[in-house]
Amino acid sequence: MSASVLELVRPDLRGFAGYSSARSAKVQGEVWLNANESPWANPADPTANCRRYPAPQPQPLREALAALYGCAPEQLLIGRGSDEAIDLLVRALCRPGRDAVVVTPPVFGMYAVSARLQDAPLREVPLRDGADGLQADIDAIIETAQASGARLVFLCSPSNPAGSGIVRADIERTARALAGQALVVVDEAYIEFSDQSSAVDLLSRHENLAVLRTLSKAHALAAARIGCVIAAPALIAVLRALQAPYPVPQPCADLALAALAPEALARTAERVQQVRGERDRLQAALAGVAGVRRVYPSQGNFVLVRFEDAEAAWQALLAAGVVVRDQRATPQLGDALRISIGTPEQNARVLAALGARREQAA
């Protein structure tokens, strides 16, 4: 890690080795008696795969994810969804009470939660609501980060719940402006549903850049909790030292690896295209529903909708057995609901519950 990136890590953690688990040791043998594991499998585990502790970073999965995302395996750390990566980054870079975190509300709440748990000052730069939707104010983000001495800047692209993306030129501009001061983290949880390309290839030019990816959305593995952070190899090593000993359960790793096989990836790509088509159809239909104030453009697998009477819309959907995300407690979104894109039948049910005309729901 070059000196400028190392300076972003908390001084007390730069040489931190972390916990050395039984699976961390580079030893080989036939009889493994070094981890106090049961010598017999559990009766409920016919494969006997679960009696042993798993590899901290299963190499086959790490290589498969690196191939999928276009990076080197040593640039990637697997964790429990993107949530764990967010927490690790805040803990690694932010000294309690000193180093700030910049976020762009309304946005994914885990950035603020992790900052609060670390006692890192939170600096908010609200999205601007304009004709092209809720958009990140890059100039204000840079100014706020510089003025507050922020150590971390989270750019959610596509943004949840806004659905808006951040162009690569603005990501690069932010990284350049904050070089040597802050790590710019691009959360790409929904990028598979977007037209924009990943920022992973920008890491070679900007060492103060990191990217978050997940298998929870497009790859339909939310329960497996497989996500990763992609960054400079030495920063990945620091984050690994902070991580719990066995972050990737073996059954989840096996499932994720199977999901990254060529046939599975091809099927996933088909489903992503279907979601994109359904998103366009749902947006167009919702725009014509009485009581809908605005349907925001979206690059994710959801749409954000403002209502004249959001409570009535919420209750109508619940009465039809449809549960959506109530955004009304979120600042700036007191009249909004976020609707995930479902199957064609589920989307038709949403439209019917909201009183869409029959020809719109077809």
Side-chain angles (χ1 to χ4, degrees):
M1 187 186 297
S2 68
S4 61
V5 175
L6 180 60
E7 289 170 359
L8 301 181
V9 177
R10 283 169 43 190
D12 57 313
L13 294 179
R14 290 172 192 170
F16 182 60
Y19 175 74
S20 180
S21 71
R23 291 293 173 267
S24 300
K26 303 298 182 182
V27 294
Q28 296 296 322
E30 296 178 359
V31 180
W32 291 80
L33 302 176
N34 68 334
N36 300 334
E37 301 153 326
S38 171
W40 301 283
N42 186 285
D45 177 24
T47 64
N49 286 337
C50 291
R51 76 178 183 90
R52 296 285 189 195
Y53 287 109
Q57 292 289 294
Q59 193 61 21
L61 178 57
R62 200 179 191 196
E63 291 174 357
L65 288 169
L68 179 66
Y69 298 141
C71 66
E74 58 269 23
Q75 290 180 287
L76 184 148
L77 181 76
I78 308 170
R80 303 172 185 88
S82 298
D83 301 337
E84 183 179 24
I86 293 166
D87 179 64
L88 289 172
L89 286 165
V90 175
R91 284 195 285 137
L93 273 65
C94 295
R95 291 166 293 182
R98 295 182 58 179
D99 299 319
V101 174
V102 175
V103 298
T104 58
V107 76
F108 184 44
M110 281 306 299
Y111 313 139
V113 168
S114 295
R116 174 70 181 274
L117 291 173
Q118 184 65 9
D119 191 26
L122 189 69
R123 300 289 180 261
E124 297 184 340
V125 182
L127 298 178
R128 295 179 302 178
D129 197 350
D132 53 351
L134 288 156
Q135 297 288 336
D137 187 339
I138 298 299
D139 290 334
I141 290 169
I142 293 171
E143 181 181 348
T144 299
Q146 290 174 335
S148 64
R151 197 63 99 209
L152 272 173
V153 174
F154 284 101
L155 301 179
C156 193
S157 180
S159 184
N160 171 26
S164 56
I166 301 174
V167 299
R168 287 162 57 90
D170 282 342
I171 292 171
E172 284 205 87
R173 182 157 67 94
T174 307
R176 270 196 307 271
L178 300 177
Q181 179 201 319
L183 185 75
V184 178
V185 184
V186 185
D187 189 342
E188 297 183 343
Y190 299 94
I191 196 168
E192 289 91 346
F193 304 102
S194 169
D195 291 327
Q196 66 189 48
S197 58
S198 173
V200 167
D201 66 318
L202 301 179
L203 269 64
S204 61
R205 299 202 293 271
H206 304 283
E207 60 184 3
N208 66 321
L209 197 62
V211 174
L212 303 179
R213 298 296 295 263
T214 180
L215 299 185
S216 294
K217 311 299 182 183
H219 295 271
L221 293 180
R225 308 306 301 129
I226 299 292
C228 64
V229 54
I230 304 167
L235 178 56
I236 293 297
V238 170
L239 298 177
R240 175 68 193 103
L242 271 61
Q243 196 175 33
Y246 305 106
V248 188
Q250 191 62 51
C252 296
D254 293 341
L255 179 59
L257 193 58
L260 299 181
E263 317 82 58
L265 287 176
R267 184 58 174 151
T268 294
E270 293 174 3
R271 288 286 173 82
V272 166
Q273 289 306 311
Q274 186 176 13
V275 167
R276 287 166 60 107
E278 282 296 300
R279 179 185 66 197
D280 295 343
R281 184 178 76 87
L282 189 63
Q283 285 177 308
L286 285 168
V289 170
V292 169
R293 283 179 173 160
R294 184 172 187 186
V295 181
Y296 283 90
S298 176
Q299 297 186 47
N301 65 336
F302 54 86
V303 292
L304 182 68
V305 187
R306 290 191 187 274
F307 293 88
E308 292 177 5
D309 188 343
E311 175 63 19
W314 171 257
Q315 292 299 333
L317 288 164
L318 286 180
V322 178
V323 182
V324 299
R325 185 73 168 199
D326 189 351
Q327 298 287 340
R328 287 175 291 169
T330 304
Q332 304 183 61
L333 299 180
D335 59 355
L337 304 177
R338 190 196 69 193
I339 305 172
S340 300
I341 306 302
T343 65
E345 295 76 18
Q346 291 168 341
N347 298 331
R349 192 166 172 176
V350 167
L351 293 171
L354 293 175
R357 295 190 304 272
R358 185 179 299 275
E359 60 268 23
Q360 291 175 316

